[in-house]
Amino acid sequence: MQRILNDPDNIVDEMLSGFLKANSDIVEATENKRVVKARCKGEGKVGVITGGGSGHKPAFIGYVGENMCDAAAVGEICSSPTAVAFLDAAKCADQGKGVACLYGNYSGDNMNVKMAVKMAQKQGLTIKTVIANDDVASAPKNQREKRRGVAGEIFMWKCGGAKAAMGGSLDEVINAAQKAIDHTRSVGIGLTPCTLPAVGHPNFEIKDGTMEVGIGHHGEPGIEVCELETADKMAKRMTDIILPDYPFEAGDEVAVLISGLGATPVMELYVLYNEVEKLLQEKGIAVYRAYVGNYFTSLDMMGATLTLMKLDEELKELLDMPVNTVGLKQKGKEKG
Amino acid sequence: MQRILNDPDNIVDEMLSGFLKANSDIVEATENKRVVKARCKGEGKVGVITGGGSGHKPAFIGYVGENMCDAAAVGEICSSPTAVAFLDAAKCADQGKGVACLYGNYSGDNMNVKMAVKMAQKQGLTIKTVIANDDVASAPKNQREKRRGVAGEIFMWKCGGAKAAMGGSLDEVINAAQKAIDHTRSVGIGLTPCTLPAVGHPNFEIKDGTMEVGIGHHGEPGIEVCELETADKMAKRMTDIILPDYPFEAGDEVAVLISGLGATPVMELYVLYNEVEKLLQEKGIAVYRAYVGNYFTSLDMMGATLTLMKLDEELKELLDMPVNTVGLKQKGKEKG
C-alpha cells in the first residue's frame, strides 16, 4: 500500500487536525472533536448541517462554510458519525430557527440521525431532515427510497444552504433541499477498487480491463461489470442511465457535476465532460453550470461519477448564490 | 491501464474542449487551439501569461483567470507548448503595456519562450520572463539556475498576477514574480510512477515499499530512493530539505502549499500538512496561508509536493488579493 499515512487508526484525527489548521479562515473546531463548524455563519438564519463517513474528501467537511453547511459531523473511514456528533453539529448550527440536516441514505447515517433528532427534540431543538438518494444504480426507480446518496448531495447542500442564507424558514430550507435532490440523478463508474488504510488491501475487486457501472462510493456493487470502454462510451452509458430516470428532456437546463473518485487525473474528467456535454446538447438539454473535479471521492478509487440536476428558476437562483467552502468556492453568476 | 480515455493522441484536444465548455465563465478559446485566455482581464494592465505541458492539471490553464494569468500556452502531455503558442498567448494578453511570461525551467519551454520573445520583439511586443526554479532536489544550491520549476510556480503566478492587477508596470510585475519564486522552495516525494496515456505503462519505476525523494513531475530522478516512510517522517524529510535551502528561520511567516500528484487521496495530504505545520511551529515559523489539494499534478502519480514561500508585507499583500481561476479561487483576506 503506497500511501501517505501514520497509524491508520489515527488517520481521521490527523486529517481533521490538518484540515482545521490549513483552512482556519473557513472552518473551526468545536468541543466535539468529530464536529467541524463554519467560522462565519449568517446571522439569525436556519442552521444547515450534514455528516458522513471520512474518505470522501472534500465531502463532508469541505462543504462547511459561508452559504452552504454550518457544521458537519465526522465519521470514521466509511462509517457514519455518531448520533451525538450529529446532535452536536445541530447545536452548533442552531440559532433558534431550527436545523436542516441534509445527508445521504446509508443505514448507519439514517439510524444516527434519527436518534439525534429525538435527542434534540427533548432539548427543544427542531431538526428536520432531507435524505439524499440520487444514485440511480442503487435501486429501481419505483424504490427510490432505497437509493444511496452520492455526489448529488453537493447540489442538495448548495441549494439548501443558499435558501437558509436568503432567510428561508426551516420548512423552506427543507423544501429547497428536497427539491434539489428530487431533481438530481447520479451514476458512477469504478475502474479500480479503493483500499481502506486500516485494511491495507482492496476489499473488493475490479479486474484490469473491466469497469463496474453503478458502483457505490464504498464499492457497493453496481448494475454490471463490463469491459473497460472509451471515455465517449462511458459518457453515453452514464447519460443513458441517468436521463430516462427523472426524466431529463429536450428544452431542459441542467447543472452537471463530474467528480473523480480520488485517483482519477482531472484531465480525464474533462475528456469525459467533453462528451457528456455533447450528448446532452444532441438531446436539446442545455448546461447552465458545470463542475468538474474531485468533489466527492472514495479514497484512492479510480473512476468518476456523473450527476445531473434539472433546473428551474428557483434552483438556478440557489445554485448561483456565492459560496465559500473548502470544496466549493463560487462567485455570483457572471455567465451570459 | 485503467483510465478514462478515447484515442490517447486526442487527449489534449478533448481535455481542452471539455475544460473550455465546463469553465466558460472563467476561460475562453482563442484562434490558436493551444492557447486559452481569461474571459475577464483587468483593463489596461500588463499581460501575464504562462504555459507548459499537459498532464499537470489544474496547471497550467487552471490558473488563467481574474487577477492571475491572462492566457496560457498548452503543450502536449509532458511537452512544451510551441513558440507560436507562447507568442499567441502573449498577443492575447497584451494591452500595450507588455507581457510577463512566468514559466518553469525545462529545456523545451526555455527554448520556445526564447523564440517567442524574439518573434514578439519583431512585432513590437515586449515580453519579459521569469523562470521558476523552486525544486530544491533538482540541483545543488549553487546551481539554482539548473533547478526545475514545480508547484511553487503557483505562488509566482499568484504574486505576478496580483501585481499586474494592481496596475504595476512590466518591470514591477517581473520583479514581484521573481521575488515570489526567489522566496519559494519545493520538494516532492513520489510513491508510484505515472503512465502516459499514449505509452500505456509507467515509463519509470517506483517499487512497492519504496518512495523517491525529490522526484520531478515527469519522473525525473530525485535525491534518493528509500523505504516508504510514515507521513510524519515524510514531513520531516521534506522540511529538512527545504528549510535550510533558503533559509527559512524562526520568526518567519510562510505560505505553505501541499499538492497531491494526481492519485493521492486529499485526506492524506491533510495528514501530511498536519505534521508539516507542527514542525514549522516548533522552529518558530508561522503559517500565514495554507493551500492543500491537487494544485499541480503529474497524471496519475501518487505522492505529494511541499512548497514554502517566505513572506514579507509585499508578498502577503499579493498573496491575499482575491483570485478567480479554475484551480484557485480566493476571496480577500479575512483571517486574523
Side-chain angles (χ1 to χ4, degrees), chain A residues 256-258 266-271 273-274 277 287-295 327-336, chain B residues 14-30 36-40 57-66 69-70 324-329:
Chain A
V256 181
L257 188 153
I258 290 187
V266 171
M267 179 172 204
E268 298 174 21
L269 302 179
Y270 281 115
V271 170
Y273 178 78
N274 187 46
E277 182 170 314
V287 177
Y288 180 75
R289 265 192 190 272
Y291 303 86
V292 179
N294 284 301
Y295 286 99
L328 185 64
K329 290 179 167 67
Q330 188 177 292
K331 294 177 66 173
K333 179 88 178 164
E334 290 174 17
K335 237 177 192 172
Chain B
E14 291 174 352
M15 173 276 290
L16 273 175
S17 172
F19 180 85
L20 288 163
K21 287 193 273 190
N23 301 299
S24 61
D25 50 336
I26 297 178
V27 288
E28 58 188 25
T30 68
V36 168
K37 71 173 180 175
R39 198 177 164 90
C40 309
K57 288 278 111 357
F60 295 81
I61 51 176
Y63 298 106
V64 171
E66 202 183 332
C69 301
D70 299 304
N324 191 38
T325 67
V326 174
L328 185 64
K329 291 179 167 68

Side-chain angles (χ1 to χ4, degrees), chain A residues 130-165:
Chain A
V130 177
I131 307 173
N133 54 359
D134 53 304
D135 188 357
V136 172
S138 53
K141 196 175 173 176
N142 59 0
Q143 297 173 38
R144 260 193 75 214
E145 72 287 354
K146 290 189 183 168
R147 288 181 175 174
R148 299 180 293 252
V150 286
E153 295 184 37
I154 292 160
F155 289 147
M156 171 180 72
W157 300 321
K158 178 75 188 73
C159 294
K163 195 71 183 183

Side-chain angles (χ1 to χ4, degrees), chain A residues 3 5 17 66 231 268 274, chain B residues 3 5 17 231 268 274 331:
Chain A
R3 304 281 281 275
L5 293 171
S17 172
E66 203 182 332
E268 298 174 21
N274 187 46
Chain B
R3 304 281 281 276
L5 294 169
S17 172
E268 298 175 22
N274 187 47
K331 293 177 66 171

